[in-house]
Amino acid sequence: MSKIDLVMTVPLPPLIIDGLERDFTIQKLWLADDWEALLDKIAPGVRAIAAAVPILAQDRVWPIDAAFMSRFPNLEIVANLGVGYDNIDANWAKDHNIAVTNTPDVLTEETADTAFGLMLNTVREFSAAERYLRAGKWLQQPYRLTASLKDRTLGILGLGRIGKAIACRAEGFGLKIVYHSRNKAQGVDYPYYPDVLSLARACDILMVVVPGGPETRNMIDVDVLKALGPDGILINIARGTIVDEPALIEALANRTIHAAGLDVFANEPHVPEALLALDNAVLLPHVGSASVVTRDAMSQLVVDNLVNWSKGAPLLTPV
Ligand code: NAP
């Protein structure tokens, strides 16, 4: 059986490349000197794309949008490394009978751990305290007293797979939990708020776990930050686009909110200088799912979806 032409837009893990090489001819777009010429040459034969959330490759981010997908007249599937697929125009793909797969579930617990670690770190200032120690400042005086998780309410924006796993951890820490999603979540009795503004008013720590994309763009805006208040803390583990970044920087600088913990940014991997300069922001380089075991499980799911598709077997995780 001849191999299937597949375009890989960004450098994906070796486990994916090794897993696909038997059945697919992989065109590594980021390695091409002249990617336009390469695309023109290979486009008619391409039936599959393997992609990931925007990663800079050759100074370019490759959104899998209508313009990109329409270059491949015989495209049948886009397999994404990541549960979030806001890098793909899934509606356009659906309208053109192109399947899209993602990697849900296998990263849920890891991302919830990261979210929880980021929250603890932001509230108790552990990374700032460590920098203080390393700078020899403890010799002069103890580190300042911090905010606390005690008696606080956690507002979860998006009580889906990861949101529920975060709630599970929060229960163990004795936090009160409230939430907002478009629909009430099944099987939980946490208080539900019908919109993000009322959620922000009701909580002390706002945890963002909704998908990215046009529907949630700038959902955390000036008004939500104001509603969170001067003791409020924002944690974003979802997508940078969900937060109005300039408004957040202003709120942190003016202390109209207390602090923020961010794993994701509007224009990754670029982080605004103004954010880097703030001592009440804890910043992580999009490491939510980034452990060896979890990335391997995600990679294997990308391979299994594509190999299943190549054999005409059911997709494991279509979106
Ligand atoms: P999920 O199970 O689909 O949960 C998403 C939740 O958001 C659902 O509760 C959904 O409920 C709610 N929601 C969706 N659109 C909404 C809207 N417009 N307004 C309010 N609520 C909305 O997804 P998941 O597996 O938990 O993943 C969530 C997101 O986390 C992903 O999309 C991804 O972007 C991000 N993520 C980040 C990392 C990282 O490395 N930082 C890792 C993994 C995932 P309703 O449908 O009822 O609204």
PDB file of all heavy atoms in Angstrom, residues 83-86 107-108 111 157-163 180-183 209-212 215-216 219 237-239 263-264 286-289 295, ligand 1:
ATOM      1  N   VAL A  83      -5.850  19.463  23.409  1.00  0.00           N
ATOM      2  CA  VAL A  83      -7.313  19.354  23.504  1.00  0.00           C
ATOM      3  C   VAL A  83      -7.968  20.592  22.891  1.00  0.00           C
ATOM      4  O   VAL A  83      -9.016  20.512  22.246  1.00  0.00           O
ATOM      5  CB  VAL A  83      -7.766  19.109  24.967  1.00  0.00           C
ATOM      6  CG1 VAL A  83      -7.449  20.289  25.878  1.00  0.00           C
ATOM      7  CG2 VAL A  83      -9.259  18.817  25.029  1.00  0.00           C
ATOM      8  N   GLY A  84      -7.334  21.753  23.101  1.00  0.00           N
ATOM      9  CA  GLY A  84      -7.854  22.991  22.504  1.00  0.00           C
ATOM     10  C   GLY A  84      -7.538  22.983  21.017  1.00  0.00           C
ATOM     11  O   GLY A  84      -6.433  22.625  20.621  1.00  0.00           O
ATOM     12  N   TYR A  85      -8.500  23.353  20.201  1.00  0.00           N
ATOM     13  CA  TYR A  85      -8.258  23.336  18.747  1.00  0.00           C
ATOM     14  C   TYR A  85      -8.673  24.673  18.131  1.00  0.00           C
ATOM     15  O   TYR A  85      -9.153  24.738  17.006  1.00  0.00           O
ATOM     16  CB  TYR A  85      -8.957  22.139  18.087  1.00  0.00           C
ATOM     17  CG  TYR A  85     -10.424  22.007  18.411  1.00  0.00           C
ATOM     18  CD1 TYR A  85     -11.382  22.619  17.611  1.00  0.00           C
ATOM     19  CD2 TYR A  85     -10.847  21.286  19.513  1.00  0.00           C
ATOM     20  CE1 TYR A  85     -12.732  22.519  17.911  1.00  0.00           C
ATOM     21  CE2 TYR A  85     -12.189  21.180  19.834  1.00  0.00           C
ATOM     22  CZ  TYR A  85     -13.117  21.791  19.034  1.00  0.00           C
ATOM     23  OH  TYR A  85     -14.448  21.703  19.346  1.00  0.00           O
ATOM     24  N   ASP A  86      -8.462  25.742  18.907  1.00  0.00           N
ATOM     25  CA  ASP A  86      -8.779  27.078  18.394  1.00  0.00           C
ATOM     26  C   ASP A  86      -7.815  27.504  17.292  1.00  0.00           C
ATOM     27  O   ASP A  86      -8.030  28.527  16.648  1.00  0.00           O
ATOM     28  CB  ASP A  86      -8.796  28.099  19.532  1.00  0.00           C
ATOM     29  CG  ASP A  86      -7.593  27.981  20.447  1.00  0.00           C
ATOM     30  OD1 ASP A  86      -7.266  26.858  20.854  1.00  0.00           O
ATOM     31  OD2 ASP A  86      -6.966  29.014  20.744  1.00  0.00           O
ATOM     32  N   LEU A 107      -4.744  14.555  29.041  1.00  0.00           N
ATOM     33  CA  LEU A 107      -3.988  15.664  29.645  1.00  0.00           C
ATOM     34  C   LEU A 107      -4.737  16.342  30.791  1.00  0.00           C
ATOM     35  O   LEU A 107      -4.245  17.293  31.388  1.00  0.00           O
ATOM     36  CB  LEU A 107      -3.606  16.709  28.573  1.00  0.00           C
ATOM     37  CG  LEU A 107      -4.672  17.210  27.603  1.00  0.00           C
ATOM     38  CD1 LEU A 107      -5.891  17.764  28.250  1.00  0.00           C
ATOM     39  CD2 LEU A 107      -4.073  18.189  26.623  1.00  0.00           C
ATOM     40  N   THR A 108      -5.915  15.831  31.116  1.00  0.00           N
ATOM     41  CA  THR A 108      -6.769  16.524  32.088  1.00  0.00           C
ATOM     42  C   THR A 108      -6.101  16.686  33.451  1.00  0.00           C
ATOM     43  O   THR A 108      -6.029  17.793  34.003  1.00  0.00           O
ATOM     44  CB  THR A 108      -8.111  15.776  32.234  1.00  0.00           C
ATOM     45  OG1 THR A 108      -8.807  15.864  30.992  1.00  0.00           O
ATOM     46  CG2 THR A 108      -8.968  16.374  33.333  1.00  0.00           C
ATOM     47  N   THR A 111      -2.941  18.984  33.483  1.00  0.00           N
ATOM     48  CA  THR A 111      -3.252  20.412  33.344  1.00  0.00           C
ATOM     49  C   THR A 111      -3.900  20.935  34.625  1.00  0.00           C
ATOM     50  O   THR A 111      -3.629  22.069  35.046  1.00  0.00           O
ATOM     51  CB  THR A 111      -4.167  20.630  32.123  1.00  0.00           C
ATOM     52  OG1 THR A 111      -3.587  19.966  31.004  1.00  0.00           O
ATOM     53  CG2 THR A 111      -4.317  22.099  31.804  1.00  0.00           C
ATOM     54  N   LEU A 157     -14.329  29.249  35.575  1.00  0.00           N
ATOM     55  CA  LEU A 157     -14.962  29.620  34.306  1.00  0.00           C
ATOM     56  C   LEU A 157     -14.708  28.481  33.331  1.00  0.00           C
ATOM     57  O   LEU A 157     -13.615  28.350  32.784  1.00  0.00           O
ATOM     58  CB  LEU A 157     -14.356  30.939  33.795  1.00  0.00           C
ATOM     59  CG  LEU A 157     -14.828  31.406  32.412  1.00  0.00           C
ATOM     60  CD1 LEU A 157     -16.328  31.609  32.375  1.00  0.00           C
ATOM     61  CD2 LEU A 157     -14.099  32.687  32.017  1.00  0.00           C
ATOM     62  N   GLY A 158     -15.727  27.606  33.145  1.00  0.00           N
ATOM     63  CA  GLY A 158     -15.575  26.432  32.280  1.00  0.00           C
ATOM     64  C   GLY A 158     -15.427  25.172  33.105  1.00  0.00           C
ATOM     65  O   GLY A 158     -14.318  24.699  33.328  1.00  0.00           O
ATOM     66  N   LEU A 159     -16.572  24.639  33.572  1.00  0.00           N
ATOM     67  CA  LEU A 159     -16.499  23.431  34.415  1.00  0.00           C
ATOM     68  C   LEU A 159     -16.602  22.189  33.521  1.00  0.00           C
ATOM     69  O   LEU A 159     -17.543  21.410  33.600  1.00  0.00           O
ATOM     70  CB  LEU A 159     -17.603  23.451  35.481  1.00  0.00           C
ATOM     71  CG  LEU A 159     -17.377  22.512  36.664  1.00  0.00           C
ATOM     72  CD1 LEU A 159     -16.185  22.933  37.506  1.00  0.00           C
ATOM     73  CD2 LEU A 159     -18.626  22.437  37.540  1.00  0.00           C
ATOM     74  N   GLY A 160     -15.598  22.039  32.639  1.00  0.00           N
ATOM     75  CA  GLY A 160     -15.525  20.858  31.767  1.00  0.00           C
ATOM     76  C   GLY A 160     -14.604  19.824  32.386  1.00  0.00           C
ATOM     77  O   GLY A 160     -14.531  19.704  33.612  1.00  0.00           O
ATOM     78  N   ARG A 161     -13.895  19.095  31.520  1.00  0.00           N
ATOM     79  CA  ARG A 161     -13.013  18.022  32.025  1.00  0.00           C
ATOM     80  C   ARG A 161     -11.956  18.583  32.975  1.00  0.00           C
ATOM     81  O   ARG A 161     -11.817  18.109  34.114  1.00  0.00           O
ATOM     82  CB  ARG A 161     -12.334  17.317  30.838  1.00  0.00           C
ATOM     83  CG  ARG A 161     -13.264  16.453  30.021  1.00  0.00           C
ATOM     84  CD  ARG A 161     -12.575  15.996  28.740  1.00  0.00           C
ATOM     85  NE  ARG A 161     -12.386  17.118  27.847  1.00  0.00           N
ATOM     86  CZ  ARG A 161     -12.871  17.185  26.605  1.00  0.00           C
ATOM     87  NH1 ARG A 161     -13.546  16.174  26.108  1.00  0.00           N
ATOM     88  NH2 ARG A 161     -12.661  18.236  25.851  1.00  0.00           N
ATOM     89  N   ILE A 162     -11.204  19.609  32.518  1.00  0.00           N
ATOM     90  CA  ILE A 162     -10.120  20.135  33.354  1.00  0.00           C
ATOM     91  C   ILE A 162     -10.696  20.939  34.518  1.00  0.00           C
ATOM     92  O   ILE A 162     -10.221  20.834  35.650  1.00  0.00           O
ATOM     93  CB  ILE A 162      -9.146  20.990  32.502  1.00  0.00           C
ATOM     94  CG1 ILE A 162      -8.501  20.110  31.422  1.00  0.00           C
ATOM     95  CG2 ILE A 162      -8.068  21.624  33.371  1.00  0.00           C
ATOM     96  CD1 ILE A 162      -7.730  20.874  30.361  1.00  0.00           C
ATOM     97  N   GLY A 163     -11.756  21.711  34.257  1.00  0.00           N
ATOM     98  CA  GLY A 163     -12.388  22.487  35.330  1.00  0.00           C
ATOM     99  C   GLY A 163     -12.835  21.583  36.471  1.00  0.00           C
ATOM    100  O   GLY A 163     -12.637  21.910  37.653  1.00  0.00           O
ATOM    101  N   HIS A 180     -19.156  29.055  36.218  1.00  0.00           N
ATOM    102  CA  HIS A 180     -19.995  29.429  35.073  1.00  0.00           C
ATOM    103  C   HIS A 180     -19.547  28.646  33.842  1.00  0.00           C
ATOM    104  O   HIS A 180     -18.352  28.526  33.560  1.00  0.00           O
ATOM    105  CB  HIS A 180     -19.894  30.925  34.755  1.00  0.00           C
ATOM    106  CG  HIS A 180     -20.428  31.268  33.394  1.00  0.00           C
ATOM    107  ND1 HIS A 180     -21.773  31.169  33.088  1.00  0.00           N
ATOM    108  CD2 HIS A 180     -19.813  31.644  32.251  1.00  0.00           C
ATOM    109  CE1 HIS A 180     -21.945  31.488  31.809  1.00  0.00           C
ATOM    110  NE2 HIS A 180     -20.777  31.787  31.284  1.00  0.00           N
ATOM    111  N   SER A 181     -20.488  28.060  33.133  1.00  0.00           N
ATOM    112  CA  SER A 181     -20.319  27.528  31.779  1.00  0.00           C
ATOM    113  C   SER A 181     -21.594  27.959  31.055  1.00  0.00           C
ATOM    114  O   SER A 181     -22.509  28.478  31.696  1.00  0.00           O
ATOM    115  CB  SER A 181     -20.263  26.002  31.753  1.00  0.00           C
ATOM    116  OG  SER A 181     -19.299  25.497  32.629  1.00  0.00           O
ATOM    117  N   ARG A 182     -21.689  27.714  29.749  1.00  0.00           N
ATOM    118  CA  ARG A 182     -22.930  28.096  29.067  1.00  0.00           C
ATOM    119  C   ARG A 182     -24.100  27.271  29.594  1.00  0.00           C
ATOM    120  O   ARG A 182     -25.221  27.756  29.736  1.00  0.00           O
ATOM    121  CB  ARG A 182     -22.777  27.922  27.550  1.00  0.00           C
ATOM    122  CG  ARG A 182     -21.873  28.962  26.925  1.00  0.00           C
ATOM    123  CD  ARG A 182     -21.487  28.560  25.543  1.00  0.00           C
ATOM    124  NE  ARG A 182     -20.851  27.241  25.527  1.00  0.00           N
ATOM    125  CZ  ARG A 182     -20.347  26.664  24.456  1.00  0.00           C
ATOM    126  NH1 ARG A 182     -20.394  27.283  23.300  1.00  0.00           N
ATOM    127  NH2 ARG A 182     -19.782  25.474  24.524  1.00  0.00           N
ATOM    128  N   ASN A 183     -23.815  26.001  29.933  1.00  0.00           N
ATOM    129  CA  ASN A 183     -24.854  25.121  30.494  1.00  0.00           C
ATOM    130  C   ASN A 183     -24.454  24.696  31.901  1.00  0.00           C
ATOM    131  O   ASN A 183     -23.266  24.606  32.198  1.00  0.00           O
ATOM    132  CB  ASN A 183     -24.978  23.855  29.627  1.00  0.00           C
ATOM    133  CG  ASN A 183     -25.115  24.206  28.162  1.00  0.00           C
ATOM    134  OD1 ASN A 183     -26.140  24.720  27.733  1.00  0.00           O
ATOM    135  ND2 ASN A 183     -24.066  23.972  27.383  1.00  0.00           N
ATOM    136  N   VAL A 209     -10.829  28.281  32.400  1.00  0.00           N
ATOM    137  CA  VAL A 209     -10.614  26.971  31.756  1.00  0.00           C
ATOM    138  C   VAL A 209     -11.588  26.738  30.604  1.00  0.00           C
ATOM    139  O   VAL A 209     -11.984  25.606  30.337  1.00  0.00           O
ATOM    140  CB  VAL A 209     -10.748  25.783  32.743  1.00  0.00           C
ATOM    141  CG1 VAL A 209      -9.705  24.727  32.423  1.00  0.00           C
ATOM    142  CG2 VAL A 209     -10.679  26.168  34.183  1.00  0.00           C
ATOM    143  N   VAL A 210     -12.009  27.821  29.942  1.00  0.00           N
ATOM    144  CA  VAL A 210     -12.870  27.672  28.755  1.00  0.00           C
ATOM    145  C   VAL A 210     -11.989  27.567  27.512  1.00  0.00           C
ATOM    146  O   VAL A 210     -10.836  27.985  27.537  1.00  0.00           O
ATOM    147  CB  VAL A 210     -13.845  28.869  28.574  1.00  0.00           C
ATOM    148  CG1 VAL A 210     -14.994  28.794  29.548  1.00  0.00           C
ATOM    149  CG2 VAL A 210     -13.120  30.193  28.681  1.00  0.00           C
ATOM    150  N   PRO A 211     -12.518  27.039  26.396  1.00  0.00           N
ATOM    151  CA  PRO A 211     -11.713  26.996  25.170  1.00  0.00           C
ATOM    152  C   PRO A 211     -11.453  28.398  24.621  1.00  0.00           C
ATOM    153  O   PRO A 211     -12.216  29.336  24.889  1.00  0.00           O
ATOM    154  CB  PRO A 211     -12.607  26.221  24.186  1.00  0.00           C
ATOM    155  CG  PRO A 211     -13.633  25.543  25.018  1.00  0.00           C
ATOM    156  CD  PRO A 211     -13.827  26.388  26.232  1.00  0.00           C
ATOM    157  N   GLY A 212     -10.384  28.532  23.826  1.00  0.00           N
ATOM    158  CA  GLY A 212     -10.127  29.781  23.106  1.00  0.00           C
ATOM    159  C   GLY A 212     -11.032  29.878  21.886  1.00  0.00           C
ATOM    160  O   GLY A 212     -11.924  29.057  21.705  1.00  0.00           O
ATOM    161  N   GLU A 215     -15.563  32.999  20.301  1.00  0.00           N
ATOM    162  CA  GLU A 215     -16.645  33.116  21.289  1.00  0.00           C
ATOM    163  C   GLU A 215     -16.166  33.586  22.660  1.00  0.00           C
ATOM    164  O   GLU A 215     -16.923  34.210  23.411  1.00  0.00           O
ATOM    165  CB  GLU A 215     -17.331  31.757  21.439  1.00  0.00           C
ATOM    166  CG  GLU A 215     -18.834  31.854  21.381  1.00  0.00           C
ATOM    167  CD  GLU A 215     -19.471  30.528  21.721  1.00  0.00           C
ATOM    168  OE1 GLU A 215     -19.315  29.576  20.919  1.00  0.00           O
ATOM    169  OE2 GLU A 215     -20.113  30.443  22.779  1.00  0.00           O
ATOM    170  N   THR A 216     -14.911  33.270  22.979  1.00  0.00           N
ATOM    171  CA  THR A 216     -14.419  33.618  24.326  1.00  0.00           C
ATOM    172  C   THR A 216     -13.365  34.727  24.280  1.00  0.00           C
ATOM    173  O   THR A 216     -12.771  35.043  25.310  1.00  0.00           O
ATOM    174  CB  THR A 216     -13.804  32.375  25.011  1.00  0.00           C
ATOM    175  OG1 THR A 216     -12.760  31.861  24.163  1.00  0.00           O
ATOM    176  CG2 THR A 216     -14.827  31.300  25.273  1.00  0.00           C
ATOM    177  N   MET A 219     -13.056  37.669  26.952  1.00  0.00           N
ATOM    178  CA  MET A 219     -14.142  37.432  27.909  1.00  0.00           C
ATOM    179  C   MET A 219     -13.779  38.031  29.278  1.00  0.00           C
ATOM    180  O   MET A 219     -14.635  38.549  29.998  1.00  0.00           O
ATOM    181  CB  MET A 219     -14.316  35.913  28.052  1.00  0.00           C
ATOM    182  CG  MET A 219     -15.656  35.452  28.455  1.00  0.00           C
ATOM    183  SD  MET A 219     -15.665  33.649  28.320  1.00  0.00           S
ATOM    184  CE  MET A 219     -17.378  33.373  28.675  1.00  0.00           C
ATOM    185  N   ILE A 237      -5.236  29.306  32.577  1.00  0.00           N
ATOM    186  CA  ILE A 237      -4.548  28.086  32.137  1.00  0.00           C
ATOM    187  C   ILE A 237      -5.073  27.689  30.758  1.00  0.00           C
ATOM    188  O   ILE A 237      -4.646  26.696  30.185  1.00  0.00           O
ATOM    189  CB  ILE A 237      -4.807  26.966  33.192  1.00  0.00           C
ATOM    190  CG1 ILE A 237      -3.948  25.723  32.973  1.00  0.00           C
ATOM    191  CG2 ILE A 237      -6.265  26.599  33.281  1.00  0.00           C
ATOM    192  CD1 ILE A 237      -2.553  25.876  33.444  1.00  0.00           C
ATOM    193  N   ALA A 238      -6.008  28.496  30.221  1.00  0.00           N
ATOM    194  CA  ALA A 238      -6.726  28.070  29.009  1.00  0.00           C
ATOM    195  C   ALA A 238      -6.085  28.609  27.730  1.00  0.00           C
ATOM    196  O   ALA A 238      -5.323  27.902  27.065  1.00  0.00           O
ATOM    197  CB  ALA A 238      -8.183  28.480  29.115  1.00  0.00           C
ATOM    198  N   ARG A 239      -6.382  29.847  27.372  1.00  0.00           N
ATOM    199  CA  ARG A 239      -5.797  30.482  26.186  1.00  0.00           C
ATOM    200  C   ARG A 239      -5.635  31.972  26.453  1.00  0.00           C
ATOM    201  O   ARG A 239      -6.527  32.606  27.055  1.00  0.00           O
ATOM    202  CB  ARG A 239      -6.708  30.307  24.961  1.00  0.00           C
ATOM    203  CG  ARG A 239      -6.702  28.927  24.355  1.00  0.00           C
ATOM    204  CD  ARG A 239      -5.384  28.595  23.645  1.00  0.00           C
ATOM    205  NE  ARG A 239      -5.415  27.268  23.050  1.00  0.00           N
ATOM    206  CZ  ARG A 239      -4.992  26.146  23.654  1.00  0.00           C
ATOM    207  NH1 ARG A 239      -4.477  26.203  24.867  1.00  0.00           N
ATOM    208  NH2 ARG A 239      -5.056  24.979  23.045  1.00  0.00           N
ATOM    209  N   ASP A 263      -0.461  30.862  32.409  1.00  0.00           N
ATOM    210  CA  ASP A 263       0.301  29.834  31.679  1.00  0.00           C
ATOM    211  C   ASP A 263       0.238  30.107  30.179  1.00  0.00           C
ATOM    212  O   ASP A 263       0.941  29.469  29.410  1.00  0.00           O
ATOM    213  CB  ASP A 263      -0.287  28.441  31.983  1.00  0.00           C
ATOM    214  CG  ASP A 263       0.533  27.313  31.371  1.00  0.00           C
ATOM    215  OD1 ASP A 263       1.779  27.374  31.460  1.00  0.00           O
ATOM    216  OD2 ASP A 263      -0.056  26.386  30.779  1.00  0.00           O
ATOM    217  N   VAL A 264      -0.635  31.034  29.801  1.00  0.00           N
ATOM    218  CA  VAL A 264      -0.903  31.275  28.374  1.00  0.00           C
ATOM    219  C   VAL A 264      -0.996  32.786  28.110  1.00  0.00           C
ATOM    220  O   VAL A 264      -1.372  33.547  29.005  1.00  0.00           O
ATOM    221  CB  VAL A 264      -2.215  30.576  27.954  1.00  0.00           C
ATOM    222  CG1 VAL A 264      -2.049  29.080  27.857  1.00  0.00           C
ATOM    223  CG2 VAL A 264      -3.338  30.911  28.928  1.00  0.00           C
ATOM    224  N   HIS A 286       3.508  28.231  29.011  1.00  0.00           N
ATOM    225  CA  HIS A 286       2.532  27.276  28.455  1.00  0.00           C
ATOM    226  C   HIS A 286       2.959  25.817  28.719  1.00  0.00           C
ATOM    227  O   HIS A 286       3.197  25.045  27.790  1.00  0.00           O
ATOM    228  CB  HIS A 286       2.339  27.534  26.951  1.00  0.00           C
ATOM    229  CG  HIS A 286       1.029  26.976  26.439  1.00  0.00           C
ATOM    230  ND1 HIS A 286       0.311  27.565  25.430  1.00  0.00           N
ATOM    231  CD2 HIS A 286       0.312  25.871  26.790  1.00  0.00           C
ATOM    232  CE1 HIS A 286      -0.780  26.859  25.180  1.00  0.00           C
ATOM    233  NE2 HIS A 286      -0.794  25.819  26.006  1.00  0.00           N
ATOM    234  N   VAL A 287       3.029  25.483  30.005  1.00  0.00           N
ATOM    235  CA  VAL A 287       3.501  24.150  30.397  1.00  0.00           C
ATOM    236  C   VAL A 287       2.386  23.284  30.986  1.00  0.00           C
ATOM    237  O   VAL A 287       2.652  22.284  31.633  1.00  0.00           O
ATOM    238  CB  VAL A 287       4.678  24.243  31.407  1.00  0.00           C
ATOM    239  CG1 VAL A 287       5.899  24.849  30.739  1.00  0.00           C
ATOM    240  CG2 VAL A 287       4.291  25.039  32.662  1.00  0.00           C
ATOM    241  N   GLY A 288       1.127  23.683  30.740  1.00  0.00           N
ATOM    242  CA  GLY A 288      -0.016  22.984  31.345  1.00  0.00           C
ATOM    243  C   GLY A 288       0.064  21.472  31.275  1.00  0.00           C
ATOM    244  O   GLY A 288      -0.109  20.778  32.275  1.00  0.00           O
ATOM    245  N   SER A 289       0.339  20.944  30.100  1.00  0.00           N
ATOM    246  CA  SER A 289       0.357  19.483  29.915  1.00  0.00           C
ATOM    247  C   SER A 289       1.768  18.953  29.726  1.00  0.00           C
ATOM    248  O   SER A 289       1.960  17.800  29.332  1.00  0.00           O
ATOM    249  CB  SER A 289      -0.482  19.120  28.685  1.00  0.00           C
ATOM    250  OG  SER A 289       0.136  19.648  27.513  1.00  0.00           O
ATOM    251  N   ARG A 295       2.698  14.261  27.589  1.00  0.00           N
ATOM    252  CA  ARG A 295       2.939  14.581  26.175  1.00  0.00           C
ATOM    253  C   ARG A 295       3.042  13.305  25.341  1.00  0.00           C
ATOM    254  O   ARG A 295       2.580  13.254  24.194  1.00  0.00           O
ATOM    255  CB  ARG A 295       4.191  15.436  26.017  1.00  0.00           C
ATOM    256  CG  ARG A 295       3.966  16.892  26.361  1.00  0.00           C
ATOM    257  CD  ARG A 295       3.082  17.602  25.313  1.00  0.00           C
ATOM    258  NE  ARG A 295       2.589  18.870  25.823  1.00  0.00           N
ATOM    259  CZ  ARG A 295       3.279  20.014  25.797  1.00  0.00           C
ATOM    260  NH1 ARG A 295       4.479  20.050  25.258  1.00  0.00           N
ATOM    261  NH2 ARG A 295       2.754  21.104  26.305  1.00  0.00           N
TER     262      ARG A 295
HETATM  263  P1  NAP B   1     -13.965  20.900  27.947  1.00  0.00           P
HETATM  264  O1  NAP B   1     -14.127  19.618  28.682  1.00  0.00           O
HETATM  265  O2  NAP B   1     -14.579  21.053  26.606  1.00  0.00           O
HETATM  266  O3  NAP B   1     -14.451  22.081  28.910  1.00  0.00           O
HETATM  267  C1  NAP B   1     -14.679  23.372  28.467  1.00  0.00           C
HETATM  268  C2  NAP B   1     -15.699  24.035  29.388  1.00  0.00           C
HETATM  269  O4  NAP B   1     -15.884  25.387  28.967  1.00  0.00           O
HETATM  270  C3  NAP B   1     -17.056  23.366  29.395  1.00  0.00           C
HETATM  271  O5  NAP B   1     -17.508  23.352  30.721  1.00  0.00           O
HETATM  272  C4  NAP B   1     -17.932  24.285  28.548  1.00  0.00           C
HETATM  273  O6  NAP B   1     -19.264  24.175  28.995  1.00  0.00           O
HETATM  274  C5  NAP B   1     -17.296  25.648  28.842  1.00  0.00           C
HETATM  275  N1  NAP B   1     -17.452  26.614  27.769  1.00  0.00           N
HETATM  276  C6  NAP B   1     -17.178  26.456  26.450  1.00  0.00           C
HETATM  277  N2  NAP B   1     -17.437  27.585  25.776  1.00  0.00           N
HETATM  278  C7  NAP B   1     -17.884  28.483  26.683  1.00  0.00           C
HETATM  279  C8  NAP B   1     -18.332  29.835  26.592  1.00  0.00           C
HETATM  280  N3  NAP B   1     -18.366  30.484  25.427  1.00  0.00           N
HETATM  281  N4  NAP B   1     -18.722  30.454  27.730  1.00  0.00           N
HETATM  282  C9  NAP B   1     -18.710  29.803  28.924  1.00  0.00           C
HETATM  283  N5  NAP B   1     -18.294  28.531  29.059  1.00  0.00           N
HETATM  284  C10 NAP B   1     -17.885  27.872  27.956  1.00  0.00           C
HETATM  285  O7  NAP B   1     -12.413  21.212  27.714  1.00  0.00           O
HETATM  286  P2  NAP B   1     -11.189  20.830  28.667  1.00  0.00           P
HETATM  287  O8  NAP B   1     -10.622  19.522  28.259  1.00  0.00           O
HETATM  288  O9  NAP B   1     -11.579  21.049  30.088  1.00  0.00           O
HETATM  289  O10 NAP B   1     -10.141  21.977  28.189  1.00  0.00           O
HETATM  290  C11 NAP B   1     -10.445  23.338  28.364  1.00  0.00           C
HETATM  291  C12 NAP B   1      -9.442  24.216  27.672  1.00  0.00           C
HETATM  292  O11 NAP B   1      -8.224  24.245  28.405  1.00  0.00           O
HETATM  293  C13 NAP B   1      -9.017  23.765  26.272  1.00  0.00           C
HETATM  294  O12 NAP B   1      -9.925  24.198  25.279  1.00  0.00           O
HETATM  295  C14 NAP B   1      -7.642  24.370  26.111  1.00  0.00           C
HETATM  296  O13 NAP B   1      -7.703  25.600  25.411  1.00  0.00           O
HETATM  297  C15 NAP B   1      -7.174  24.623  27.530  1.00  0.00           C
HETATM  298  N6  NAP B   1      -5.984  23.807  27.846  1.00  0.00           N
HETATM  299  C16 NAP B   1      -4.797  24.436  28.132  1.00  0.00           C
HETATM  300  C17 NAP B   1      -3.688  23.689  28.448  1.00  0.00           C
HETATM  301  C18 NAP B   1      -2.362  24.337  28.760  1.00  0.00           C
HETATM  302  O14 NAP B   1      -1.322  23.756  28.465  1.00  0.00           O
HETATM  303  N7  NAP B   1      -2.356  25.508  29.363  1.00  0.00           N
HETATM  304  C19 NAP B   1      -3.757  22.291  28.474  1.00  0.00           C
HETATM  305  C20 NAP B   1      -4.980  21.684  28.195  1.00  0.00           C
HETATM  306  C21 NAP B   1      -6.095  22.459  27.884  1.00  0.00           C
HETATM  307  P3  NAP B   1     -20.510  24.629  28.108  1.00  0.00           P
HETATM  308  O15 NAP B   1     -20.348  23.921  26.787  1.00  0.00           O
HETATM  309  O16 NAP B   1     -21.692  24.239  28.900  1.00  0.00           O
HETATM  310  O17 NAP B   1     -20.366  26.101  27.982  1.00  0.00           O
END
